[in-house]
Amino acid sequence: MRTKKIFKQLWVASVDIEAMPNYDFMELIDRSDCNEALPKYIGAWANVIIQAPTIKEALFLIEIGLNEKNFKIRFIDKIENLYSLVEDNEINIDMIKEAEWLYKSQYSFMISDKLWPYGD
């Protein structure tokens, strides 16, 4: 059985992202598994998992993590503590596995699963 205590140090945020100035969003995303032409995307929604002791630090790490990937925050829809989501059974097992991996790693930030891109 998973120990829920570790989840108190983990946060999940729903973030609308776009490319930083002087970057093309299409060049920042992995399109290797797509065999067809894609529309021109300008941004995406992403679920981000952050390892931090406080929500204030989690918000700070979201910005740093995205900047390292040449993305910037357009809007944060919500941020929730993973412990609460697990307690209320409001999170899927795949995200729990990703969060456990992040907790055991040397990292503090990861984009969960995939991006949900959008155009103009």
Side-chain angles (χ1 to χ4, degrees), residues 64-79:
I64 289 173
L66 289 171
N67 286 347
E68 286 180 1
K69 297 181 177 297
N70 300 311
F71 292 119
K72 67 179 185 172
I73 298 169
R74 187 165 179 209
F75 178 73
I76 296 177
D77 182 51
K78 63 182 171 181
I79 183 168

Side-chain angles (χ1 to χ4, degrees), residues 106-118:
Q106 63 184 2
Y107 303 107
S108 298
F109 169 93
M110 75 179 294
I111 295 175
S112 175
D113 190 29
K114 61 183 176 181
L115 300 176
W116 288 273
Y118 57 84

Side-chain angles (χ1 to χ4, degrees), residues 6-17:
I6 68 167
F7 298 139
K8 289 184 178 184
Q9 297 282 318
L10 296 164
W11 304 83
V12 177
S14 177
V15 184
D16 184 357
I17 61 174

Side-chain angles (χ1 to χ4, degrees), residues 12-76:
V12 177
S14 177
V15 184
D16 184 357
I17 61 174
E18 61 187 1
M20 292 183 76
N22 301 318
Y23 287 91
D24 180 351
F25 186 83
M26 295 298 287
E27 292 178 12
L28 298 177
I29 59 175
D30 179 11
R31 299 173 287 156
S32 62
D33 62 346
C34 186
N35 295 330
E36 57 192 58
L38 296 173
K40 173 110 173 99
Y41 296 128
I42 61 166
W45 282 95
N47 287 321
V48 177
I49 304 173
I50 311 95
Q51 184 173 186
T54 66
I55 195 168
K56 184 176 179 178
E57 189 172 332
L59 290 167
F60 177 72
L61 291 173
I62 291 170
E63 187 170 8
I64 289 173
L66 289 171
N67 286 347
E68 286 180 1
K69 297 181 177 297
N70 300 311
F71 292 119
K72 67 179 185 172
I73 298 169
R74 187 165 179 209
F75 178 73
I76 296 177

